[in-house]
Amino acid sequence: MSDIVRFKQHPSETLKVGKGFRLKDVDPDATPGYPGDKSDGELLLSDLDDNLTVFQEQLFAESRFGGTKRLLLILQAMDTAGKGGIVNHVMGTMNPQGVQLRSFKAPTDEEKSYDFLWRIEKEVPAAGMVGVFDRSHYEDVLIHRVHRWADPKELERRYQAINEFEARQTAAGTKIVKVMLHISPDEQKERLLARLDDPSKLWKYSSNDLKERAFWDDYMAAYQAAFDLTNSSAAPWHVVPANKKWYARIAVQQLLLDAMDGLKLEWPVPELDVALERDLVERS
Amino acid sequence: MSDIVRFKQHPSETLKVGKGFRLKDVDPDATPGYPGDKSDGELLLSDLDDNLTVFQEQLFAESRFGGTKRLLLILQAMDTAGKGGIVNHVMGTMNPQGVQLRSFKAPTDEEKSYDFLWRIEKEVPAAGMVGVFDRSHYEDVLIHRVHRWADPKELERRYQAINEFEARQTAAGTKIVKVMLHISPDEQKERLLARLDDPSKLWKYSSNDLKERAFWDDYMAAYQAAFDLTNSSAAPWHVVPANKKWYARIAVQQLLLDAMDGLKLEWPVPELDVALERDLVERS
């Protein structure tokens, strides 16, 4: 029985976007703050799952007694970066009743007829819930910037609107964790080829992925702009190196654990006479 | 390494409500069709999880290519019977993007202002999805019957409406699996006491549970009536003995596996030239 290898420095510090942050300096192969290897990471992941389960149950329980805390994980990444695997894992550890996942695809005609935050507002987590956004309002300053579907003035309006929107959510009790999973173009190539080679993955392959891939540098510039303009102490960005899937998983798990820990959650104590209720149950 | 102990007879046969079925003949402690014990059951459960994962992914994948199949699990039970644990487990094995859970609580004022199926229709699974109903439209012929919130004529209307509703869902491609988890009054007593004794469970305790418990026999009669009047070959009822939680879990897992198996799912093959796409990716 080997010992669990834990983070030396937490991703909430090492992966946080700070002043002067440059995306191009991040190595997608790196494993910042973690001294172990893949098998260590897998052990750590399953070791900490229960902690996340308990935190989430406490968060949900508090809301049944008037608590307003909630958590929102925002995931952004290039195709194949592993958002799906992260979502699977995170949500697999939680009570499904307390988690709400929303995958934001290309907007429908109805959604397009409103301001870009209209469809987002409808999906923010209720009190006690863990919300997971698989893509988000950031698409409106990423793909829209890359393909110039929005002009610079409109983009500027959106960055500001996002900041106001996120500040309002935070003020209402929402802890926001923003994550970009960062892979390299070569890693994406390998993963696209893997989809083509595996009959159980082939259906996920879209030749459209190749089209967006051609704009890689533009996307990186758009991400950099988003970090520069929407990073805040209330809703900080984290860039998670994701060429190693096992590292991305423990990093996001640890980010969520730290966020939950910061909420100072406790089991609610209902106002009831336990001895009396015990007696009533016994007699029933 | 011990061998996996499997069902001798599948719950889709042994637990299915048939002609002349009487709820009072079901032993909540029994483990029909399964020759193993708790530890065998736990091994089986984790052994079959991957199969369910694959089936669900295929179901979802087919819908991306025009498939209309979908699955709806309807769970009904007395309080503490273990619906939550079943939901946790079932959904934990699936891709959250492809599962939609809806817990039907007491209806809101708005919901009450419509016919009872209004809020249900809105939550039926889309093509490719696995829907999970934690309670359902059956509350409208269970608690409503027990407390006489609906008179016999209105109940009769509801049974018929339910049958028409479920037949329509089935015709649209939905495989419906209806499950009642069956515990004994003594088992419920133990579980209520356990909630009172555990600080991490106390918040779930409601003195209201005791009030409904007092109507146990009326509930059993209402369930029997529901089985008599809404059991159909398209949407059959299954009564799962649930005093042993491990048995209830493998039974529901096997019911879902059999339902999925009946859908004859396959990995979709997109119309694309794999060799060409491979080449394009390599060069990109």
Side-chain angles (χ1 to χ4, degrees):
Chain A
M1 185 68 197
S2 54
D3 284 342
I4 303 283
V5 180
R6 304 191 181 277
F7 276 98
K8 292 262 183 222
Q9 291 168 286
H10 279 208
S12 48
E13 290 305 319
T14 52
L15 306 183
K16 199 164 164 177
V17 168
K19 270 201 197 305
F21 172 87
R22 294 198 313 171
L23 182 56
K24 66 171 65 154
D25 294 339
V26 177
D27 175 5
D29 273 314
T31 57
Y34 192 68
D37 61 13
K38 182 177 179 181
S39 60
D40 295 319
E42 287 169 349
L43 273 179
L44 178 67
L45 191 72
S46 70
D47 183 63
L48 291 178
D49 273 350
D50 285 351
N51 297 20
L52 205 49
T53 305
V54 170
F55 273 139
Q56 183 259 323
E57 185 112 329
Q58 287 180 321
L59 181 66
F60 185 81
E62 279 196 355
S63 74
R64 301 299 100 165
F65 293 81
T68 58
K69 297 169 193 167
R70 63 204 90 179
L71 194 146
L72 175 59
L73 173 65
I74 297 176
L75 288 171
Q76 287 289 156
M78 299 298 283
D79 286 326
T80 77
K83 283 189 285 86
I86 299 266
V87 167
N88 269 356
H89 183 81
V90 164
M91 295 188 65
T93 66
M94 296 184 182
N95 183 333
Q97 208 186 350
V99 195
Q100 44 188 86
L101 166 68
R102 175 65 198 269
S103 300
F104 289 99
K105 315 278 185 192
T108 63
D109 284 344
E110 188 194 22
E111 287 169 347
K112 278 188 207 162
S113 76
Y114 293 92
D115 186 45
F116 76 110
L117 289 173
W118 179 79
R119 65 174 187 160
I120 307 294
E121 182 85 38
K122 291 199 294 179
E123 304 291 338
V124 297
M129 299 293 286
V130 175
V132 178
F133 283 1
D134 177 354
R135 307 189 187 277
S136 66
H137 42 293
Y138 284 99
E139 291 298 317
D140 295 275
V141 293
L142 291 168
I143 190 169
H144 282 245
R145 184 184 176 113
V146 166
H147 295 304
R148 301 179 194 201
W149 299 338
D151 65 26
K153 199 171 163 193
E154 169 63 11
L155 286 170
E156 196 182 330
R157 181 187 79 82
R158 291 183 189 178
Y159 292 121
Q160 191 185 328
I162 287 173
N163 286 327
E164 288 168 4
F165 169 78
E166 292 182 352
R168 175 162 56 83
Q169 303 306 323
T170 304
T174 307
K175 173 71 190 165
I176 299 178
V177 178
K178 298 191 288 199
V179 168
M180 182 227 187
L181 299 178
H182 189 39
I183 56 170
S184 64
D186 282 350
E187 181 67 23
Q188 189 190 54
K189 182 185 286 188
E190 292 307 312
R191 295 184 186 183
L192 287 173
L193 290 172
R195 283 187 183 176
L196 287 164
D197 291 341
D198 183 343
S200 74
K201 289 180 178 165
L202 184 56
W203 67 276
K204 292 183 187 173
Y205 181 87
S206 160
S207 48
N208 198 49
D209 296 345
L210 265 190
K211 284 185 201 133
E212 296 304 325
R213 176 173 164 78
F215 292 93
W216 194 279
D217 291 344
D218 296 330
Y219 270 105
M220 294 306 111
Y223 272 105
Q224 181 68 54
F227 299 146
D228 292 342
L229 296 168
T230 66
N231 196 49
S232 64
S233 55
W237 272 106
H238 307 82
V239 175
V240 175
N243 275 6
K244 297 187 170 74
K245 285 185 181 177
W246 64 267
Y247 177 78
R249 285 179 195 186
I250 58 173
V252 174
Q253 182 192 54
Q254 194 64 57
L255 286 172
L256 292 176
L257 285 169
D258 287 359
M260 289 281 202
D261 194 46
L263 294 177
K264 306 292 174 210
L265 301 163
E266 285 176 12
W267 292 117
V269 181
E271 284 189 31
L272 54 81
D273 181 336
V274 173
L276 172 65
E277 293 292 335
R278 256 202 142 272
D279 196 41
L280 290 172
V281 173
E282 287 283 10
R283 287 158 190 255
S284 70
Chain B
M1 185 69 193
S2 53
D3 284 342
I4 304 282
V5 180
R6 303 189 183 278
F7 276 98
K8 291 267 183 217
Q9 291 167 285
H10 278 208
S12 49
E13 289 307 318
T14 54
L15 306 183
K16 200 164 165 178
V17 167
K19 268 201 200 305
F21 172 88
R22 292 196 315 171
L23 182 55
K24 66 171 67 156
D25 294 340
V26 177
D27 175 7
D29 273 313
T31 59
Y34 192 67
D37 61 14
K38 182 177 178 180
S39 60
D40 295 319
E42 286 168 350
L43 273 179
L44 178 68
L45 191 73
S46 71
D47 183 63
L48 291 177
D49 273 349
D50 285 351
N51 297 21
L52 205 49
T53 305
V54 170
F55 274 139
Q56 183 259 325
E57 185 113 331
Q58 286 180 322
L59 181 66
F60 185 80
E62 279 196 356
S63 74
R64 302 299 102 165
F65 292 80
T68 59
K69 297 169 194 167
R70 64 205 87 176
L71 194 146
L72 174 59
L73 172 65
I74 297 177
L75 287 171
Q76 286 289 158
M78 298 297 283
D79 287 327
T80 77
K83 282 189 285 87
I86 299 266
V87 167
N88 270 355
H89 183 81
V90 164
M91 297 187 65
T93 65
M94 297 184 179
N95 183 334
Q97 208 186 352
V99 194
Q100 44 188 86
L101 167 66
R102 173 66 198 267
S103 300
F104 289 99
K105 315 277 186 192
T108 63
D109 283 345
E110 188 194 21
E111 287 169 346
K112 278 188 206 161
S113 74
Y114 292 92
D115 186 46
F116 76 108
L117 288 173
W118 178 79
R119 66 174 186 159
I120 306 294
E121 183 86 38
K122 291 200 293 179
E123 303 291 338
V124 297
M129 300 292 286
V130 175
V132 178
F133 283 2
D134 177 354
R135 305 190 188 277
S136 67
H137 42 295
Y138 284 99
E139 292 297 318
D140 295 275
V141 293
L142 290 168
I143 190 170
H144 282 244
R145 183 183 174 113
V146 166
H147 295 303
R148 302 180 190 196
W149 298 339
D151 65 27
K153 199 172 163 192
E154 169 62 11
L155 286 171
E156 196 182 330
R157 180 186 80 82
R158 292 184 188 177
Y159 292 120
Q160 190 184 329
I162 287 173
N163 285 327
E164 288 168 6
F165 169 79
E166 292 181 355
R168 176 163 54 84
Q169 303 306 323
T170 303
T174 307
K175 173 71 189 164
I176 299 179
V177 179
K178 298 190 288 200
V179 168
M180 181 228 186
L181 299 177
H182 188 39
I183 56 170
S184 63
D186 282 349
E187 182 66 24
Q188 190 190 53
K189 182 186 285 190
E190 292 308 312
R191 294 185 186 182
L192 287 173
L193 290 172
R195 283 189 183 174
L196 286 164
D197 290 341
D198 182 342
S200 76
K201 288 180 178 165
L202 185 56
W203 67 277
K204 292 182 186 173
Y205 181 87
S206 159
S207 47
N208 198 48
D209 296 345
L210 265 191
K211 285 185 202 132
E212 295 304 324
R213 175 173 164 77
F215 291 92
W216 194 279
D217 290 345
D218 295 329
Y219 271 104
M220 294 306 111
Y223 272 106
Q224 180 68 52
F227 300 147
D228 291 343
L229 296 168
T230 67
N231 196 50
S232 64
S233 55
W237 273 105
H238 307 81
V239 175
V240 175
N243 274 7
K244 296 188 169 74
K245 284 185 181 177
W246 64 266
Y247 177 78
R249 285 180 195 187
I250 57 173
V252 174
Q253 183 193 53
Q254 194 64 59
L255 285 172
L256 292 175
L257 285 168
D258 287 0
M260 289 281 202
D261 193 48
L263 294 176
K264 306 291 174 210
L265 301 163
E266 284 176 12
W267 293 117
V269 181
E271 284 188 33
L272 53 83
D273 182 335
V274 173
L276 172 66
E277 293 291 336
R278 257 201 143 274
D279 195 43
L280 290 171
V281 173
E282 287 284 10
R283 288 157 188 258
S284 71

